[in-house]
């Protein structure tokens, strides 16, 4: 393949995990969730040690005292930290020529645009795609389908946050000319992603 790292970003329920696993299986390439790296980092650090990564571990009532704009900014801070961490992972896989697929909402659209990471030339060895919903109504319908049994006092707020964070991602993708694949329809999503690779 003409790449050593495939980055699949997007908001919650965009299909990135499903598509990443399917493409990984099809191509025989391991898949790593950026969330796993974040969880590991949270385990070995304490609040305040690494900026922002523990914010969403506090009680929901405390989280949603903040404005939606401030919460999106918190998401961006976490994605900034995780994207910096993923640079080392990407550089390693380019260096040893062992392809990997990284997926998660902790990937910044700008991550794959660098020419060098950790002293390793990575230009041309990374492919990036973001999966995003076209409309809030479409996004809500997917949320109801994929998580029908998880109503809670803050379910709607979590959905709004994911949507607004996705809108921020869309703006960044457009600014950096990063390919966007619309999440719907599901039955052609994988093929539409593969067409870009």
């Amino acid at each position: 393949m003409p790449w050593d790292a495939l980055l699949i970003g997007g908001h919650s329920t965009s299909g990135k995990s499903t598509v990443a696993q399917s493409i990984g299986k099809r191509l025989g390439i391991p898949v790593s969730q950026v969330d796993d790296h974040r969880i590991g980092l949270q385990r070995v650090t304490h609040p305040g040690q690494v900026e922002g990564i523990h914010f969403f571990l506090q009680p929901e009532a405390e989280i949603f005292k903040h404005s939606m704009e401030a919460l999106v900014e918190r998401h961006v801070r976490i994605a900034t930290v995780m994207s910096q961490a993923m640079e080392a992972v990407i550089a390693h896989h380019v260096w040893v020529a062992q392809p990997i697929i990284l997926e998660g909402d902790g990937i910044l659209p700008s991550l794959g645009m660098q020419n060098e990471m950790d002293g390793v030339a990575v230009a041309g060895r990374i492919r990036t795609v973001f999966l995003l919903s076209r409309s809030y109504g479409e996004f809500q319908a997917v949320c109801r389908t994929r998580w029908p049994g998880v109503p809670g006092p803050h379910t709607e707020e979590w959905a709004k946050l994911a949507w607004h964070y996705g809108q921020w991602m869309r703006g960044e993708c457009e600014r950096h000319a990063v390919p966007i694949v619309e999440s719907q329809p599901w039955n052609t999503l994988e093929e539409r992603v593969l067409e870009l690779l």
Side-chain angles (χ1 to χ4, degrees):
M1 288 167 300
W3 48 269
D4 293 306
L6 170 59
L7 311 180
I8 302 179
H11 56 67
S12 297
T13 76
S14 63
K16 58 191 179 300
S17 297
T18 302
V19 166
Q21 291 295 334
S22 184
I23 291 175
K25 185 175 181 180
R26 180 186 288 205
L27 300 180
I29 296 173
V31 175
S32 183
Q33 295 184 350
V34 175
D35 276 352
D36 286 344
H37 296 271
R38 174 184 52 76
I39 291 167
L41 190 56
Q42 288 169 331
R43 172 61 68 88
V44 298
T45 59
H46 55 76
Q49 189 174 354
V50 179
E51 185 185 3
I53 66 164
H54 296 87
F55 178 81
F56 290 105
L57 297 181
Q58 64 183 311
E60 290 180 324
E62 292 300 313
I63 292 171
F64 290 107
K65 286 180 180 177
H66 299 265
S67 69
M68 196 57 62
E69 182 178 309
L71 292 175
V72 169
E73 184 180 319
R74 295 286 187 164
H75 252 308
V76 174
R77 286 184 195 174
I78 294 170
T80 300
V81 169
M82 294 314 304
S83 289
Q84 290 172 349
M86 291 305 97
E87 288 180 17
V89 175
I90 293 167
H92 173 71
H93 281 270
V94 172
W95 177 254
V96 298
Q98 293 181 350
I100 188 169
I101 298 171
L102 293 172
E103 66 88 3
D105 63 6
I107 295 173
L108 291 176
S110 59
L111 177 58
M113 304 197 60
Q114 301 177 56
N115 292 321
E116 184 178 293
M117 294 179 180
D118 284 7
V120 177
V122 298
R125 303 308 306 168
I126 305 170
R127 296 291 182 274
T128 307
V129 62
F130 272 69
L131 313 184
L132 301 168
S133 294
R134 269 184 293 261
S135 70
Y136 187 59
E138 180 182 273
F139 170 73
Q140 283 182 307
V142 173
C143 287
R144 285 192 294 270
T145 300
R146 295 189 67 179
W147 292 300
V150 288
H154 299 284
T155 300
E156 184 63 25
E157 290 160 298
W158 282 115
K160 286 180 180 177
L161 174 55
W163 167 254
H164 284 288
Y165 182 47
Q167 291 302 101
W168 178 87
M169 289 176 174
R170 185 179 290 275
E172 287 296 292
C173 286
E174 291 170 353
R175 188 163 74 90
H176 293 288
V178 172
I180 296 170
V181 175
E182 305 296 344
S183 294
Q184 298 294 325
W186 288 113
N187 62 336
T188 63
L189 182 55
E190 180 182 342
E191 295 306 321
R192 287 183 286 124
V193 170
L194 285 169
E195 284 175 8
L196 293 173
L197 305 182

